[in-house]
Amino acid sequence: MIDPHVHCRDWAQSHKETIAHVLSVAERIGLSGIFDMPNTSPAITTREFIEKRLEDADKVNSSVFYGVYAGLTSDKNQIKEVVKAWRELFPRVVGLKMFTVKSGPSNLEVSKEDEQRLVYQTLVEEGYDGVLAVHCEKESKLRPDLWTPKNPKSHSYARPNESEVNSVADQIIFASDAKFKGNLHIAHVSVPKSLEFIEVSRRWSKVKLTCGVTPHHCLLNYEDIPKSQDGLLYKVNPPIRDKASSEKILSLLKEGRIDWIETDHAPHTLEEKTGKALDTKGNPQYMSGFPGLAFYPHFLDFLRANDFSNEQIKNLTHRNICNTFGIDLPERDIIPDRTLHKEYEVDVYRGIRKWE
Ligand SMILES: [Zn+2]
């Protein structure tokens, strides 16, 4: 099993999570590899920080493979630098990541359409043919005015479905127009319409397309979000959607129409999620993201209980990832530790961990 989407944090955010702890959890739940996201502090956007990151991971001496994504900005020279690093350091640098909205403390967002086109254009000029994973939410479609911490569910209204669907469409069109030669991966799809667009695009676009889903977008819907301040723990990007969407995403996963599962493990402290910690301007923080890695074995139990075959699970958790990235990792066969959620302050799954 590989989790191709985790946020190990560390560095200036080591109070939230560290590479060493993620590798330890990954080892105990039976993963053979994790791919770390670059929206760290500082962000992993230069050769220097890529090398520092890999050195830090090597110091952990884990048997779990550690790979990292290099982050993209709208600066042409920066894009060239990380493509070169990918070429020389693959498979440790597994691919590239683009955020279409602000994510975390770093200035990684490539939100304007002309900037996104420049990214694809530059990747084509540089002959990039690896994986480009994109966090798709269109900034101009967000409705931050609808968010109020008094009603945690309002986060789902503030980041509406159209925002994701429009951004997914943009990326596929821009990649196709530029004749992008790599694999465009649409990360953590949460709206069934996004998936429909991807499927239709496979008929007309020559771009290789893959998509992933998270356990939380399959299992949780916004009616599950407590109305109390506990509901703040469920704040995540893209947000938890309505019941029909989560059920549809799960059924599409079962039909084999999604390439893989990715946890988007993204811890914050309880205080950072519930407005008790302040940002640099002195405003209360309501951070988006929560830990999902420790829940992964429970999600697989859930899939087995819902008649997903072992073959299907192997494809969704391992083989499709190895094939797309061109990275071959061994399958590990251990009885996973199912108690590791106790190592995290935030546990949004406690209500549905009933098959424990
Ligand atoms: Zn993520």
Side-chain angles (χ1 to χ4, degrees):
M1 278 159 55
I2 299 164
D3 187 347
H5 193 141
V6 298
H7 297 261
C8 293
R9 312 288 198 204
D10 216 313
W11 294 350
Q13 300 178 320
S14 55
H15 61 287
K16 297 177 195 263
E17 182 60 292
T18 62
I19 299 172
H21 186 246
V22 171
L23 285 170
S24 154
V25 171
E27 180 132 34
R28 287 176 286 160
I29 64 171
L31 295 189
S32 46
I34 56 159
F35 301 168
D36 190 12
M37 286 296 170
N39 59 337
T40 44
S41 179
I44 303 167
T45 51
T46 62
R47 175 84 186 211
E48 184 194 349
F49 287 133
I50 291 168
E51 285 178 0
K52 170 92 177 78
R53 198 71 175 175
L54 295 176
E55 273 166 35
D56 288 357
D58 286 342
K59 281 187 210 138
V60 179
N61 233 330
S62 171
S63 64
V64 175
F65 171 86
Y66 173 90
V68 69
Y69 282 92
L72 292 174
T73 69
S74 50
D75 172 354
K76 221 172 160 127
N77 288 327
Q78 186 274 333
I79 300 170
K80 287 183 184 179
E81 179 178 339
V82 291
V83 169
K84 187 164 182 279
W86 165 79
R87 194 160 277 129
E88 290 165 14
L89 297 171
F90 179 85
R92 298 302 304 285
V93 177
V94 293
L96 305 176
K97 175 76 186 268
M98 175 161 73
F99 293 88
T100 60
V101 282
K102 183 170 163 51
S103 181
S106 42
N107 291 321
L108 271 176
E109 77 259 40
V110 184
S111 58
K112 298 197 184 77
E113 291 184 18
D114 54 338
E115 293 172 342
Q116 293 170 4
R117 284 192 185 270
L118 176 95
V119 165
Y120 291 104
Q121 200 53 55
T122 309
L123 293 177
V124 170
E125 284 164 21
E126 294 303 299
Y128 182 73
D129 59 1
V131 174
L132 168 64
V134 186
H135 177 125
C136 292
E137 285 184 282
K138 191 160 179 150
E139 197 151 82
S140 60
K141 299 279 175 194
L142 298 181
R143 295 288 312 273
D145 53 305
L146 297 180
W147 157 247
T148 165
K150 291 194 192 91
N151 177 18
K153 190 176 133 181
S154 64
H155 185 60
S156 297
Y157 306 140
R159 301 181 86 102
N161 292 3
E162 310 84 84
S163 171
E164 179 181 291
V165 179
N166 276 264
S167 180
V168 168
D170 282 354
Q171 303 321 309
I172 295 174
I173 291 165
F174 300 163
S176 303
D177 285 353
K179 300 195 168 58
F180 178 60
K181 293 287 178 305
N183 184 106
L184 175 60
H185 177 69
I186 309 294
H188 44 53
V189 173
S190 64
V191 182
K193 256 202 157 70
S194 305
L195 234 16
E196 277 170 34
F197 194 89
I198 293 166
E199 291 197 336
V200 169
S201 302
R202 281 182 171 136
R203 289 182 224 140
W204 61 263
S205 173
K206 291 199 172 71
V207 176
K208 281 173 267 168
L209 294 170
T210 52
C211 58
V213 294
T214 68
H216 50 272
H217 290 119
C218 291
L219 293 184
L220 301 172
N221 68 75
Y222 59 46
E223 303 307 335
D224 296 324
I225 300 178
K227 293 192 173 57
S228 67
Q229 292 298 283
D230 265 4
L232 293 168
L233 304 184
Y234 293 73
K235 191 164 177 273
V236 67
N237 299 336
I240 304 296
R241 307 291 182 183
D242 64 12
K243 192 159 187 269
S245 295
S246 64
E247 286 174 355
K248 183 76 182 165
I249 293 278
L250 185 61
S251 72
L252 293 170
L253 182 68
K254 192 164 185 179
E255 288 168 21
R257 291 157 72 177
I258 290 160
D259 297 276
W260 61 70
I261 298 162
E262 45 194 34
T263 67
D264 198 5
H265 175 75
H268 298 283
T269 65
L270 212 47
E271 290 175 333
E272 289 166 333
K273 286 194 70 70
T274 55
K276 291 181 189 81
L278 304 180
D279 65 17
T280 46
K281 289 176 192 141
N283 298 316
Q285 289 183 314
Y286 301 97
M287 301 300 287
S288 294
F290 47 70
L293 197 56
F295 182 75
Y296 204 178
H298 299 276
F299 185 58
L300 297 183
D301 291 344
F302 171 84
L303 296 184
R304 285 184 204 103
N306 282 276
D307 303 321
F308 281 67
S309 70
N310 278 337
E311 279 301 292
Q312 226 177 339
I313 290 175
K314 271 189 183 166
N315 289 337
L316 288 171
T317 61
H318 195 93
R319 290 181 195 143
N320 294 349
I321 301 167
C322 289
N323 291 342
T324 298
F325 283 84
I327 297 174
D328 194 21
L329 296 178
E331 290 177 28
R332 286 175 67 210
D333 198 13
I334 68 159
I335 295 171
D337 188 335
R338 289 176 167 79
T339 66
L340 298 176
H341 50 90
K342 293 180 184 128
E343 297 185 10
Y344 293 96
E345 284 187 325
V346 175
D347 183 8
V348 297
Y349 293 110
R350 73 198 141 186
I352 52 172
R353 210 187 300 101
K354 49 183 176 274
W355 51 88
E356 187 169 20

